[in-house]
Every structure is written in structure tokens, then in C-alpha cells.
Amino acid sequence: MTNIANTPNAPSTPSTPITPGTPGTPGTPGTHTGAALSAALPIQGARILIVGAASLVGSHTADHLLAAGVGEVILLDNFAFGTHEAIAHLDNHPRVRVVRADITRLNELLLATEGVDGVLLLAAYMTLGFAQSPWQAIDVNIRGAQNVIEACRVNKVRKLVFASSNAVYGYGPGIKGALVEEGPFHVTGAPPAAIMYGASKIMGEQLCRQAHQKSGLQYVVLRYSTVYGERQHYRAANSLYIMETYDKVRKGERPVLPGDGSESKHFVYVGDVARANLAAFESPATDVAVNVSGVDPTTTRELVQMVLDYCKSDLQPEIRPDAPGTVRLTSGGAFHVAHELAATVIGWQPVVPMREGIARLLAWREAQS
């Protein structure tokens, strides 16, 4: 692995519903799968840049790209949040190159994208980041995304895959039932940080769409549900709940339910997300946004029970209100993030159920201890 490190190691630093953008809706991304066969980017032999690579999704996607015969995978990160440990297993790999760079610095992105066929944009602040550092989060998620898009345009990158989020549908009491790609953006009753994060992803999607219209940039937006799996970090509000529950149970402490346990969550296993990223590159689809969610939704009580079962523990959950200042992402009832369109547009569907994914994650966590 070659390490090009000439960038400082510092952070880059009621509600009428708004429709975030979906295929076939006026004023939103459309589906051009039949008309743009040139948008298909075969992985075999390609040079792929992952922006925000020292991460859960980035490291797993690199693994899948290498297994699929990529010519070179370039791992770009400023290592403000990402860690080298996430990609350490790729040290000295002949088809891997690491670039330390910052997405708020366009000149660095212009260099990194030279001769690149495809770009996967992962780098972003999430909800907890917006709660802690909103100015930096806005700068990275919006200006940083535009910088990546501009670098792709200048260097004629064949395809961009933009990692969005189901946060584009919002949070709070309006979130219930099936969340589909043409759904609105709900803001009432949700934490400000969560709404800012979702809005930043809507902005990123629309910047992609504008670049497609103005300069012909081929792109696919993937709206990830909450991603979990091996190499899990502690920065995502919902994934953090899995790790906090496990840590408590291993200490012999009762896990905590913030409510009655009936609240829905829809996770997606990181290996399934990595497969979706590759499918988006290789699909002829362009100018489209699709959901990437797990096999089935779960409830917080079911999630806690999966962790207890894995640990072979008979502890009973404790119902306790959240501490003041806790960022908890809530809904208005049972919901699921529909992923049927992804099967049609990019030929992808999830395969790892939640219980199996939890077992893989916690086995990895124990191995780290």
C-alpha cells in the first residue's frame, strides 16, 4: 500500500412535508436506465476512488472491490474520524493506494481524481456530528460534496455513487409505514441535528442531479439505512445503541430501553451495503436515488433481545428515559424502508438478516478484546 501523506491530519473541517427527490417525480432525480447504457461501469480493471474510506462502509467496500477484480482502489480520508485500523488489513496490498486529503480542499480532490473511473462519496458528518459541530458539518456535507462533484466533472470521472441516507425522509411522528423513494421529508418533533443531517443529504443529492443536467455526470444515489457490522464505530446514533447494549450486558448490567421497546428501527448489514455500492457502479442506471435497507425492520426490544441471546444472558431490560441532551432518532409508529426499487434499478437486494448480522458484529467486537 502506498501512502501519499502531504495533507495535515485535521478535521475538515407544521410542517408541510418536502419531497427529497425520487425517480420519475417532477423536479427530482429520474430513472434513465434504458437510455444511458454508457453509465454502466464494470469493476474489473477499473480505478475506483473511495472518499471517506477509513470507515465501516469504506473498508468493506474496498474488500468487495478487490475481490471483484478492481484495477486499483484509492482510499482517500483525512483521518479526522476514520482510523487507519479500519483499513490496516489492506496494508501493502499491490492494488491499494492511500491518499490523505480533505474534501473541503478542491485542489486535493482534483489531484486524487485524475485518471479515476468511478468515485464513491462516503465522507460526511452524521447526526451526532451536527449536534456537536453544526458549522463544520454543513461545510463538509454540502461544500465538500460539491467539491467532489466538481472534481469528477473536471477529470471526466465516468460515474459517481453518492452515499445518502434514509434521513432524507426525516424523523418524528410522521415517520410510519413504508418509506419509499418518493416520500416526503418530515421535520415535526425531530431533533434539530437529525433534520440538519437529512437536509444536508437532500442538498447532496440535488447537487448530483444538477451536475448530471449541466455536464452529464453519471451518478446513482444510495439512501442507506443505519449501517452496522464488523469494524463498527461509535459515532452513529442508532448503531451506537447496539454497541452500548452489548457493553452493558458484558459488564453484567441491565440493558436500557428508552421506551416500551416497540419503536421501529431498520438497519442494514455493512456487507450488503458494500454489494449495493458495487451494483450501483456496474448498473446502467443513472440520475436515480434508491433505498438500501436490511432484510426486515426490527424493534428496540427485539434488538436488545438479540444482543442478550448472543451473550447468553437472562438479564431483563430496564426502561429508563433518556438523559437530557441525548440525541435519539424517533418515529411515529412501525415503519420500514422499502428497498424494492433497488432490485429493479441496480439489481440489488439485502441477504443478511439482523440476527445473523448482530452475531457477526459482536463476534468481531469480542475478537478485538
Side-chain angles (χ1 to χ4, degrees), residues 204-223:
E205 292 188 12
Q206 296 306 315
L207 288 169
C208 290
R209 178 173 176 248
Q210 184 180 59
H212 177 78
Q213 291 179 348
K214 287 189 170 184
S215 60
L217 177 67
Q218 310 293 4
Y219 77 93
V220 170
V221 168
L222 300 181
R223 294 174 178 168

Side-chain angles (χ1 to χ4, degrees), residues 96-302:
V96 172
R97 181 160 58 99
V98 174
V99 174
R100 186 186 296 276
D102 193 310
I103 67 170
T104 63
R105 297 169 185 161
L106 178 57
N107 63 313
E108 296 177 2
L109 293 173
L110 289 169
L111 289 173
T113 51
E114 286 182 354
V116 164
D117 298 304
V119 172
L120 171 64
L121 174 51
L122 299 173
Y125 275 67
M126 293 181 286
T127 295
L128 296 182
F130 272 90
Q132 296 159 0
S133 305
W135 283 106
Q136 281 186 317
I138 291 168
D139 202 32
V140 168
N141 285 26
I142 298 175
R143 187 161 68 91
Q146 179 57 35
N147 284 344
V148 173
I149 291 166
E150 177 64 7
C152 288
R153 183 193 68 81
V154 170
N155 284 320
K156 297 180 171 53
V157 170
R158 290 175 57 186
K159 196 166 195 178
L160 170 67
V161 175
F162 177 71
S164 187
S165 166
N166 64 18
V168 300
Y169 306 119
Y171 297 97
I175 298 297
K176 51 191 171 183
L179 302 185
V180 295
E181 284 79 359
E182 65 269 20
F185 183 39
H186 297 276
V187 301
T188 300
I195 296 306
M196 287 190 286
Y197 171 58
S200 78
K201 286 299 183 180
I202 292 173
M203 284 287 292
E205 292 188 12
Q206 296 306 315
L207 288 169
C208 290
R209 178 173 176 248
Q210 184 180 59
H212 177 78
Q213 291 179 348
K214 287 189 170 184
S215 60
L217 177 67
Q218 310 293 4
Y219 77 93
V220 170
V221 168
L222 300 181
R223 294 174 178 168
Y224 300 162
S225 292
T226 301
V227 186
Y228 74 100
E230 302 91 324
R231 306 173 201 145
Q232 182 72 54
H233 52 70
Y234 280 67
R235 298 193 308 276
N238 280 328
S239 294
L240 176 59
Y241 187 58
I242 300 175
M243 306 307 289
E244 286 178 335
T245 299
Y246 171 79
D247 290 345
K248 276 185 168 294
V249 172
R250 278 304 186 215
K251 292 176 186 175
E253 300 174 6
R254 293 171 65 190
V256 174
L257 283 176
D260 63 4
S262 64
E263 187 173 18
S264 292
K265 303 290 181 189
H266 205 159
F267 293 82
V268 59
Y269 178 66
V270 65
D272 283 338
V273 174
R275 289 193 305 103
N277 293 334
L278 270 67
F281 279 122
E282 295 202 307
S283 166
T286 188
D287 192 25
V288 65
V290 298
N291 292 333
V292 173
S293 57
V295 176
D296 291 302
T298 187
T299 66
T300 51
R301 182 173 290 278
E302 289 169 343

